[in-house]
Amino acid sequence: MRNNSSSKATILGLLRAHSTGGGATPPQAVAASEVFANLSQGGSEELFEQFSRAVTTLKGEVHRSNDMRAAAQLIAKLTTDGGISRCVRQRAPILDHLFQGYPELSTLESGMCVIDGNDSATEIPHSTIEQAQCAFTTVDALVARTGSLVLRSTSAGGRRLSVLPPVHCVVATLKQLSPSLTPWLRTIKDDRSWSCSTIVTGPSRTADIERIIVLGAHGPKRLIVIVIADPGETLN
Amino acid sequence: MASASEHSQFIDRSEVKAADQTHRKRLLKVIASYDSVVTNQKQHQFHDWQSARETAATIKDYVLDNLPELLEQFERNATANGMQVLWAKDVADAHTLVDEILARHNIKKVVKSKSMTSEELELNEFLEHRGIETLESDLGELIVQLAHEKPYHIVTPAMHKSKEEISEIFERTLGCAPTHDAEELTGIARDHLRQVYITADLGISGANFLLADDGSILILENEGNARLTTACPRVHLAIAGIEKLLPSITDLELFLPLLATSGTGQQMTAYNSIIRGPKRPHEGDGPEVMYLILLDNGRSTIYSKPEVRASLRCIRCGACLNACPVYKTVGGHTYNTPYSGPIGAVITPHLKGMKEWGHLAYASSLCGACTDVCPVKIPLHHMLLTNRQEAHAETPSLFWSSALKLWAGAMQHRFIVDNGARAARLGMSLLQLCAPRLAKKIPKPAARSFSSWWRNNEE
């Protein structure tokens, strides 16, 4: 780009003329336990309770399934009740196992558009995803304190999948619960494979009109989180 | 001439807005609802809000102390991530860069998510002039864009509009049926924008933070419009001020809840996206190219002035606007700047010129409510005093300096004070006879001076 290096030199020159630092060590990373009053110290059951409360407060839905079969039955019921038949999902071991391994979901799977967020060969048009009624994805982690889900472009079917359809259904495991965001932040720092990651807390919302909260502003109106306690040996 | 006009326009607009009861009622209702959730969130979430803001201020001060080095570190890491980092000294510089991006990628249609830096650049007008179709995607921003207005507030751009007004705007510009239901109005915007995300060539966003160690940008939003803006179009352009840095990705643990709490009273904003660059070769979607414009536009001037440098800690939460008795009375548009309220009054004169904008420092009662609520502890009301000094030095008024000298001299002589008051009473009686309407507007002088009362009542 034209004139770019000269602008950079000018700006940095102006700053350097008045900069006071140079070599000082950065402040220590903030420990979540020191800052937040609502950080859970308990085990996975307590974390699940806190996570569930936080998501429900935000009008998201949390379901707990003991195993894969229960999760498949739950998804079958949720989709039937919601009149959902046109779905998209991410290609991921836990979702492949659910949708291909249980007859309850075979009808849903037969009309399913499966997307590999880690494969540029799958050039799926925006409209296909936009017209789906529900998207199924996995997550990197669940944050109990804030009821947040952490999605990565390489491991959640890309950037579009979890935001275009009106319903986003997440399949996670109890082991993915973390008290705070920090452990995940530390892990992803060294993984340079992804280009976009989103920390999702509740369904899409707006309060731009007279501060009245409306769900589903531009993203999903419904956020469903299914937490599987024991997904079995291979998937745990 | 120009200085007189901005200043006098400010006063004219203030007089209109301060007397507009409907406007005031709506504003106070919205801010009262904000206040209650924010107070709750501070207590519910933090051990000690005061120490959290102290920590945040320390981190931002470290950023300012090491700004040139951190900017270079950020650029190195972002470039390694595939982002194209560009630098803009001022508005003209940024416009040139945008022009080159438009030409290089043959851009015809733009979708924008909320960005205050793009307001500094008046980007919508700029793109319109070039015949580029541009649509704001944040609901509040869309409403003010369709109404041909500027954002009213840093965080909630359409907080001054009623459901009825919004319905009228949508009916007129989008041709939809009128409705006074907030959910239906939101649905209209959602449906209208869906096709725009999918067909736009370029997505333009701001950035709430730049992470030096990760080389990524952060976008906080609740609606999902920024996620769509940065996911669907083939080119993504982000524009950020050079002060937006945080040293490390781990600083998000504190700064995401901090901004959410002060901005909207949420524990976390619904969507916090960390964007490192365009899609990776192996990834299935995302833009093919990503640019980031690092914008100076007067920030280095603020940086050079020790008295106001800390204003660069600002994370644009809008809390000082909501706390300010002047903002709550005159409203956002009266300021006529992208950044209104106390923070706007502090930074605007340094970004756009003290001569024309120095008057904003006087749009404050110096009560310090802004300083009290600031999550990064910017001493805003002290800076407003500093700006007053600088504004005064820029445009010294012979009238005022001589008038104040005379006043100071007179105040030191009892004889002049007593007789001055006597003369004022006489003047008022005359004025009441000649111009009673004018006399009504002027406060009546006391019937007698304090010293004469004291003489008579002294035991």
Side-chain angles (χ1 to χ4, degrees), chain A residues 91-113:
Chain A
R91 186 180 303 289
I94 194 165
L95 295 176
D96 293 347
H97 195 278
L98 266 179
F99 284 94
Q100 290 163 4
Y102 296 92
E104 296 93 324
L105 298 178
S106 59
T107 324
L108 213 54
E109 177 71 358
S110 66
M112 183 83 73
C113 171

Side-chain angles (χ1 to χ4, degrees), chain B residues 33-323:
Chain B
S33 136
Y34 162 90
D35 283 341
S36 74
V37 284
V38 170
T39 311
N40 254 338
Q41 202 54 258
K42 284 178 186 170
Q43 288 167 354
H44 162 77
Q45 181 168 211
F46 293 93
H47 277 309
D48 177 16
W49 172 250
Q50 296 306 330
S51 77
R53 61 201 280 265
E54 185 76 52
T55 309
T58 310
I59 293 172
K60 283 304 276 191
D61 273 345
Y62 170 81
V63 168
L64 294 180
D65 287 346
N66 299 277
L67 192 54
E69 293 76 20
L70 287 170
L71 278 167
E72 283 182 311
Q73 188 198 355
F74 170 80
E75 187 189 32
R76 258 196 322 276
N77 290 330
T79 308
N81 286 336
M83 203 188 296
Q84 299 194 35
V85 181
L86 309 169
W87 302 68
K89 294 190 295 284
D90 49 30
V91 175
D93 221 11
H95 282 174
T96 309
L97 293 171
V98 173
D99 253 341
E100 285 178 37
I101 293 168
L102 296 176
R104 180 183 293 184
H105 299 284
N106 190 24
I107 304 295
K108 299 273 185 282
K109 192 170 178 180
V110 170
V111 64
K112 272 185 74 204
S113 67
K114 195 168 165 34
S115 153
M116 290 309 293
T117 42
S118 78
E119 295 297 330
E120 280 180 57
L121 304 178
E122 301 200 309
L123 206 55
N124 288 355
E125 292 81 351
F126 175 83
L127 293 167
E128 221 166 86
H129 270 295
R130 272 150 183 71
I132 311 267
E133 193 186 338
T134 307
L135 207 65
E136 292 283 354
S137 57
D138 172 85
L139 179 57
E141 292 283 347
L142 176 71
I143 292 166
V144 292
Q145 184 192 22
L146 294 178
H148 298 290
E149 288 179 19
K150 293 284 183 183
Y152 187 88
H153 186 283
I154 299 176
V155 176
T156 40
M159 73 192 279
H160 61 303
K161 292 271 183 237
S162 69
K163 293 190 289 265
E164 293 74 16
E165 285 166 334
I166 295 164
S167 166
E168 193 270 319
I169 294 164
F170 281 2
E171 195 184 346
R172 182 161 39 83
T173 55
L174 305 177
C176 53
T179 168
H180 294 168
D181 182 81
E183 193 164 354
E184 282 178 26
L185 288 167
T186 306
I188 291 168
R190 179 187 170 108
D191 292 344
H192 184 71
L193 272 152
R194 278 294 159 134
Q195 287 313 306
V196 181
Y197 298 121
I198 292 177
T199 54
D201 310 298
L202 171 67
I204 298 181
S205 76
N208 294 93
F209 301 109
L210 308 173
L211 307 178
D213 69 342
D214 197 62
S216 49
I217 70 163
L218 252 291
I219 304 178
L220 277 65
E221 47 133 4
N222 280 303
E223 297 181 3
N225 62 306
R227 293 181 68 194
L228 290 160
T229 299
T230 57
C232 297
R234 58 191 160 86
V235 184
H236 172 202
L237 164 64
I239 307 168
I242 51 171
E243 82 287 13
K244 288 274 162 178
L245 282 163
L246 288 177
S248 171
I249 193 167
T250 49
D251 294 319
L252 296 178
E253 178 80 85
L254 172 63
F255 276 87
L256 298 181
L258 193 83
L259 180 48
T261 300
S262 286
T264 51
Q266 289 172 285
Q267 185 159 243
M268 283 285 264
T269 310
Y271 302 127
N272 300 293
S273 296
I274 307 172
I275 296 176
R276 279 180 175 164
K279 80 181 193 82
R280 298 295 164 93
H282 58 83
E283 284 182 326
D285 63 6
E288 291 148 25
V289 191
M290 178 186 171
Y291 298 97
L292 170 71
I293 295 180
L294 289 171
L295 182 67
D296 178 350
N297 198 29
R299 288 161 173 83
S300 54
T301 311
I302 299 179
Y303 194 77
S304 72
K305 299 177 179 175
E307 306 83 14
V308 289
R309 178 186 285 193
S311 66
L312 294 174
R313 288 182 204 151
C314 178
I315 55 172
R316 305 280 187 262
C317 68
C320 61
L321 280 61
N322 299 338

Side-chain angles (χ1 to χ4, degrees), chain A residues 97-226:
Chain A
H97 195 278
L98 266 179
F99 284 94
Q100 290 163 4
Y102 296 92
E104 296 93 324
L105 298 178
S106 59
T107 324
L108 213 54
E109 177 71 358
S110 66
M112 183 83 73
C113 171
V114 182
I115 291 174
D116 196 332
N118 218 349
D119 177 12
S120 60
T122 43
E123 288 274 339
I124 291 165
H126 295 316
S127 54
T128 310
I129 305 177
E130 208 269 321
Q131 281 155 21
Q133 294 168 290
C134 176
F136 293 90
T137 75
T138 60
V139 285
D140 268 17
L142 308 173
V143 182
R145 189 181 79 80
T146 51
S148 305
L149 331 160
V150 189
L151 309 171
R152 245 190 303 177
S153 51
T154 48
S155 59
R159 302 189 188 203
R160 301 168 295 173
L161 186 59
S162 55
V163 68
L164 272 170
V167 183
H168 178 201
C169 182
V170 161
V171 179
T173 65
L174 205 56
K175 276 202 169 163
Q176 288 183 302
L177 275 160
S178 161
S180 72
L181 196 59
T182 301
W184 178 78
L185 289 172
R186 288 194 202 285
T187 334
I188 56 153
K189 223 170 138 174
D190 301 323
D191 173 10
R192 309 309 298 175
S193 70
W194 53 272
S195 69
C196 176
S197 171
T198 304
I199 303 156
V200 175
T201 312
S204 157
R205 60 188 56 227
T206 184
D208 274 352
I209 301 176
E210 295 188 9
R211 263 192 85 84
I212 300 163
I213 292 175
V214 176
L215 300 184
H218 291 285
K221 199 182 180 74
R222 267 181 90 186
L223 176 69
I224 306 168
V225 189
I226 298 171

Side-chain angles (χ1 to χ4, degrees), chain B residues 416-433:
Chain B
I416 302 178
V417 174
D418 284 356
N419 285 292
R422 215 163 273 152
R425 279 196 294 279
L426 188 68
M428 269 307 274
S429 327
L430 282 173
L431 198 64
Q432 252 153 9
L433 286 173

